[in-house]
């Protein structure tokens, strides 16, 4: 049987092909592999998704057991709420009510028996004055004593200043004498904080649109996991490291897939983040123990230890390192994965090695900025402490050896090592997945090629009339 097309007969234009193009139907031409011919366009829009069945199976084989283990860990460690305890009346463990400043009057400090003793100075000599004191009348606005008033004396050198109409937080000590049961511990900042949060949310939505909305939802879920699972589970006595790993993994899975969708790109970022978190956990456990860091370095950790002696504070320190590194890790892994995908879309001919080399060049710039960000963030948080060491004229060795600073150094360096390692790990994984996706998708496309692909032998052209 002879072919319906001969060397002298022009082959009909494939269905859906443009009218203004010359078609080469010879073996090895573009139409022998339609996927390769249309590859640059088909991947030019929208998020990248696994294009091959084999790739989807590999990703599922890795992530489904991991997600299952996270769910099992959540169920096994779920605390069911923080354990009850009797308030000590110390620090954050005091009962508080809301109040409002009714009046603020200038008074003589001697008349109210206020001793003006600035920090580090001797009491003022007789006749020495540093200015008038302030007597604020506070009205309790919540609780069973609503409407009750009390007075607060502010010295001239007091760092807190009160004004009429200002909201305050009043500590309540039921065992104290009646006139001393209430005292101002802080000002009420709820409105400016809520306003700032609203501006933040509007900015995220205005710029990110639907992605911004999903990012805000993921943020709310992250806080829910933190407050409903991580904190109560640690208070119940569960291992802080195990709780942090399970909680951080849950946050990672929910946030990444919610913000970026269930794609191969997101899955690679999840695997890269997981590998980096494991590295941070191992290094943190090793060096926190080696450096003999107890985790009990300030009033807050001391209060926690007093209320819940069973909590392992060094484990709590390690849990903080893992959770604190997670947010920056997500940024690095998602960025590196997206960079490799975009490089592949721009040049589909790049292989694994070419994609890795191009992606790692981008990653080196990211490493420099992220490490600097971490160091400055921790230095900013410890700035008052560093100022005290500077005033004491301590040497750098003495400062670094103190437990307060050593904790921040270990936290910064361990987190930075994990972040730096995440760049080559995630870039290599992304390059391998993209290349495997291309090869597998191309094979599938070739197997299901239409009947007109490579139907004849020789060159058949149809030119635009």
């Amino acid at each position: 049987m002879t072919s319906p097309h001969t060397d002298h007969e022009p082959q009909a234009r494939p269905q859906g092909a443009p009218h203004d193009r010359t078609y080469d139907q010879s073996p090895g031409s573009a139409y022998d592999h339609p996927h390769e011919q249309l590859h640059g366009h088909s991947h030019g829009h929208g998020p990248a998704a696994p294009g091959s069945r084999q790739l989807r199976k590999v990703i599922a084989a890795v992530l489904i057991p991991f997600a299952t283990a996270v769910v099992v860990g959540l169920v096994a460690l779920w605390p069911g709420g923080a354990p009850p305890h009797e308030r000590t009346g110390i620090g954050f463990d005091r009962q508080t009510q809301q109040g409002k400043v009714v009046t603020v009057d200038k008074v003589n400090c001697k008349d109210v028996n206020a001793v003006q003793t600035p920090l580090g100075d001797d009491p003022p000599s007789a006749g020495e004055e540093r200015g008038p004191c302030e007597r604020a009348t506070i009205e309790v606005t919540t609780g069973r004593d609503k409407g009750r008033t009390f007075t607060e004396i502010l010295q001239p050198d007091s760092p807190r200043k009160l004004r009429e109409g200002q909201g305050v937080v009043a500590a309540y000590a039921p065992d104290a004498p009646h006139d001393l049961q209430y005292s101002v511990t802080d000002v009420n900042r709820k409105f400016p904080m809520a306003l700032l949060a609203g501006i933040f949310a509007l900015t995220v939505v205005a710029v990110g649109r639907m992605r911004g909305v999903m990012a805000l939802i993921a943020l709310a879920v992250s806080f829910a996991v933190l407050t409903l699972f991580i904190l109560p589970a640690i208070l119940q006595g569960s291992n802080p490291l195990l709780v942090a790993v399970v909680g951080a993994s849950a946050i990672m899975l929910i946030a990444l897939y919610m913000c970026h969708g269930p794609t191969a790109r997101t899955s690679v970022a999840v695997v890269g983040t997981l590998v980096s978190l494991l590295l941070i956990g191992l290094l943190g456990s090793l060096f926190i123990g080696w450096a003999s860091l107890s985790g009990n370095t300030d009033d807050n950790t001391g209060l926690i230890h007093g209320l819940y002696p069973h909590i392992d504070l060094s484990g709590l320190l390690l849990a903080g390192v893992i959770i604190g590194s997670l947010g920056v890790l997500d940024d690095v892994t998602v960025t590196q994965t997206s960079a490799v995908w975009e490089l592949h879309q721009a040049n589909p001919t790049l292989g694994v090695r070419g994609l890795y080399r191009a992606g790692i060049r981008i990653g080196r710039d990211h490493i420099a900025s992220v490490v600097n960000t971490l160091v400055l963030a921790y230095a900013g948080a410890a700035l008052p402490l560093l100022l005290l060491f500077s005033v004491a004229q301590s040497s750098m060795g003495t400062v670094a050896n103190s437990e307060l600073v050593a904790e921040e150094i270990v936290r910064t360096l361990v987190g930075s090592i994990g972040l730096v390692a995440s760049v080559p790990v995630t870039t290599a994984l992304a390059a391998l997945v993209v290349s495997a996706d291309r090869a597998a998708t191309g094979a599938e496309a070739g197997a299901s090629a239409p009947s007109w692909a490579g139907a004849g032998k020789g060159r058949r052209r149809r030119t635009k009339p």
Side-chain angles (χ1 to χ4, degrees):
M1 180 180 294
T2 60
S3 171
H5 302 291
T6 66
D7 290 344
H8 304 287
E9 296 177 353
Q11 184 175 350
R13 174 180 59 84
Q15 184 178 1
H19 292 273
D20 56 347
R21 182 177 294 178
T22 299
Y23 300 102
D24 185 357
Q25 299 295 326
S26 61
S29 67
Y31 275 100
D32 280 341
H33 303 285
H35 173 75
E36 294 178 7
Q37 173 73 12
L38 301 178
H39 190 278
H41 174 75
S42 64
H43 289 271
H45 307 286
S52 64
R53 187 176 305 169
Q54 291 86 349
L55 182 58
R56 289 195 293 268
K57 289 181 179 179
V58 171
I59 292 175
V62 174
L63 292 179
I64 289 179
F66 171 60
T68 303
V70 171
V71 173
V72 171
L74 287 173
V75 173
L77 298 174
W78 193 264
H85 76 279
E86 296 183 3
R87 292 184 178 271
T88 63
I90 302 174
F92 288 106
D93 204 35
R94 289 179 290 184
Q95 299 183 41
T96 59
Q97 299 292 345
Q98 299 299 313
K100 182 179 67 174
V101 180
V102 179
T103 59
V104 178
D105 301 318
K106 301 288 184 181
V107 295
N108 191 311
C109 294
K110 294 180 180 180
D111 295 339
V112 292
N113 297 322
V115 179
Q116 305 176 44
T117 308
L119 183 63
D121 292 343
D122 294 328
S125 59
E128 181 182 354
E129 291 290 343
R130 298 178 61 89
C133 291
E134 292 182 344
R135 180 173 55 195
T137 302
I138 315 295
E139 179 184 355
V140 179
T141 57
T142 60
R144 64 179 185 179
D145 290 334
K146 182 178 180 180
R148 177 177 168 180
T149 60
F150 64 96
T151 59
E152 185 82 9
I153 304 300
L154 302 176
Q155 297 188 17
D157 52 2
S158 174
R160 180 186 297 125
K161 300 297 180 183
L162 300 179
R163 63 180 185 274
E164 292 185 7
Q166 184 178 27
V168 296
V169 178
Y172 175 60
D175 297 333
H178 185 270
D179 293 339
L180 302 177
Q181 287 182 335
Y182 282 95
S183 61
V184 175
T185 60
D186 211 340
V187 298
N188 191 329
R189 304 180 181 89
K190 291 182 179 179
F191 178 74
M193 298 291 286
L195 179 61
L196 182 60
I199 295 174
F200 164 74
L202 290 176
T203 304
V204 170
V205 173
V207 176
R209 298 185 180 180
M210 195 60 198
R211 285 288 182 89
V213 173
M214 298 307 295
L216 292 176
I217 296 175
L219 180 62
V221 172
S222 299
F223 273 105
V225 173
L226 181 65
T227 57
L228 298 179
F229 171 71
I230 295 179
L231 299 181
I234 293 176
L235 291 177
Q236 289 280 12
S238 299
N239 186 292
L241 176 58
L242 183 59
V243 171
V245 170
V246 173
S249 300
I251 291 173
M252 174 184 65
L253 288 172
I254 295 172
L256 287 181
Y257 282 112
M258 185 176 291
C259 292
H260 305 286
T263 65
R265 180 185 303 185
T266 307
S267 300
V268 170
V270 167
V271 175
T273 305
L274 175 61
V275 173
S276 302
L277 279 179
L278 291 176
L279 177 61
I280 290 174
L282 291 174
L283 288 176
S285 179
L286 172 63
F287 284 94
I288 287 176
W290 197 358
S292 300
L293 298 177
S294 66
N296 190 359
T297 55
D298 56 23
D299 294 339
N300 296 328
T301 52
L303 180 59
I304 287 291
H305 182 65
L307 295 174
Y308 301 96
H310 58 273
I311 293 180
D312 180 12
L313 293 182
S314 61
L316 188 63
L317 172 62
L318 180 57
V321 172
I322 293 175
I323 296 173
S325 302
L326 177 61
V328 188
L329 268 178
D330 288 351
D331 172 56
V332 172
T333 55
V334 169
T335 300
Q336 283 304 115
T337 307
S338 297
V340 173
W341 247 264
E342 294 300 328
L343 288 168
H344 169 64
Q345 291 178 10
N347 187 359
T349 62
L350 283 175
V352 176
R353 182 173 298 180
L355 287 171
Y356 178 80
R357 287 178 176 176
I360 204 68
R361 286 196 294 269
I362 299 173
R364 290 191 184 104
D365 292 335
H366 206 180
I367 286 172
S369 62
V370 166
V371 170
N372 197 41
T373 299
L374 269 185
V375 172
L376 292 179
Y378 286 127
L383 194 58
L385 177 64
L386 296 178
L387 285 175
L388 290 178
F389 279 113
S390 179
V391 170
Q393 297 182 350
S394 301
S395 65
M396 289 301 297
T398 303
V399 172
N401 189 66
S402 66
E403 186 169 1
L404 276 172
V405 178
E407 274 192 8
E408 301 302 329
I409 292 176
V410 171
R411 193 195 310 268
T412 303
L413 295 182
V414 168
S416 297
I417 291 172
L419 290 174
V420 171
S422 70
V423 173
V425 169
T426 307
T427 305
L429 286 173
L432 289 170
V433 168
V434 167
S435 299
D437 188 17
R438 177 182 60 187
T441 307
E444 290 178 2
S448 60
S451 59
W452 50 264
K457 299 179 180 179
R459 304 179 64 85
R460 303 177 181 85
R461 297 179 179 272
R462 179 178 179 181
T463 59
K464 182 179 178 179

